[in-house]
Amino acid sequence: MEYILIFISAIFVNNIVLSQFLGICPFLGVSKKVDTAIGMGMAVAFVMTLATVVTHLLQTLVLVPLHMEYLQTITFILVIASLVQMVEIVLKKVSPTLYQALGIFLPLITTNCAVLGVAILVTQRQLSLLESVAYALSTAIGFALALTVFAGLREQLAMSDVPKAMRGMGIVLVTAGLLSLAFMGFSGVDMGLRALLVR
C-alpha cells in the first residue's frame, strides 16, 4: 500500500512540475507538440530513474561512510551530466528524428532541476533503494504526463481564436496555471489513501 501511495502522490498530487514547480524550462519549451513531449518525457524518465539509483548508491555507499556529504550536489550533477551524455549518444543512433526534435532541450536535461531535485529529495527523505526507484519512476511518469497533457492543450490552443493580447506566452502561462489547479483536485485522493493506510 505504501508504494501505491508513493505512485499516486508523485504522479498526481505532488506533481514535480505542477505542484513543486521543478522542471519548468522543458515544460514550457518542449510542450509545443505531443510527439516531442512524449519523447522528452521518456528521456527524462530514463535519466531521472537511473540518476536516482546511482546517486542513492553513491550517497549511502561512498559519501555518508566517508563523511563527505558536503560533496552531494556536485557529485549528483556530475552523475546526471554523464547519464544525459549517454542518453544523447543512444538517441542519436536509435532515433535521429527524435534527437533532432528535442534539439537543445536534450542537453538541458543536465540542468533540469527536476532530475537533481528528485535525487536530493530521495536522500533528504531517507528512502530505501526500492522506495527511491518507485519515487523516481512515478515522479518521471508525473512529469511526462504533465508535459504530454500540456502539449495537447497547446496544440488545441494553436487552432483556437485566442484574444490578441493573450497570444503567445500569456495564454500558455494561464493554461499551465489552470492545469496546475486541475491537478490540485487529486489531493483528496491522497488524503483518502493516507487515511486507509493508517487504519
Side-chain angles (χ1 to χ4, degrees):
M1 191 66 165
E2 184 68 32
Y3 290 102
I4 294 171
L5 188 62
I6 288 173
F7 269 97
I8 291 174
S9 178
I11 293 172
F12 299 109
V13 181
N14 296 318
N15 189 286
I16 196 84
V17 179
L18 300 173
S19 178
Q20 298 178 33
F21 307 112
L22 295 172
I24 296 292
C25 177
F27 180 70
L28 294 175
V30 188
S31 59
K32 290 180 182 173
K33 293 183 179 178
V34 173
D35 298 341
T36 311
I38 291 170
M40 182 66 162
M42 287 174 20
V44 168
F46 177 74
V47 171
M48 192 179 286
T49 307
L50 198 57
T52 302
V53 170
V54 174
T55 54
H56 184 275
L57 291 173
L58 273 172
Q59 178 77 10
T60 55
L61 300 176
V62 178
L63 298 178
V64 172
L66 296 175
H67 305 290
M68 296 169 62
E69 293 92 342
Y70 58 91
L71 291 175
Q72 179 190 60
T73 305
I74 197 160
T75 306
F76 287 9
I77 289 171
L78 289 171
V79 167
I80 292 165
S82 304
L83 290 172
V84 169
Q85 288 299 314
M86 187 179 73
V87 168
E88 195 171 350
I89 291 167
V90 169
L91 268 182
K92 200 171 187 179
K93 299 252 187 220
V94 175
S95 178
T97 53
L98 181 58
Y99 176 78
Q100 290 294 328
L102 291 174
I104 188 69
F105 293 101
L106 190 58
L108 282 178
I109 295 176
T110 308
T111 57
N112 186 347
C113 54
V115 179
L116 180 61
V118 167
I120 291 173
L121 282 171
V122 161
T123 57
Q124 285 178 346
R125 294 178 182 175
Q126 297 180 340
L127 299 176
S128 68
L129 182 61
L130 201 56
E131 289 173 337
S132 300
V133 171
Y135 180 74
L137 185 61
S138 55
T139 301
I141 291 169
F143 179 82
L145 175 71
L147 194 64
T148 307
V149 169
F150 192 57
L153 290 172
R154 284 186 72 176
E155 282 185 357
Q156 291 297 316
L157 280 173
M159 295 183 288
S160 301
D161 186 25
V162 179
K164 196 171 188 178
M166 291 295 291
R167 287 185 189 151
M169 198 48 75
I171 193 68
V172 169
L173 293 175
V174 169
T175 307
L178 291 173
L179 187 60
S180 180
L181 284 172
F183 269 69
M184 287 177 79
F186 290 110
S187 60
V189 174
D190 185 51
M191 286 188 276
L193 280 173
R194 287 185 192 277
L196 281 172
L197 196 62
V198 171
R199 288 181 190 174

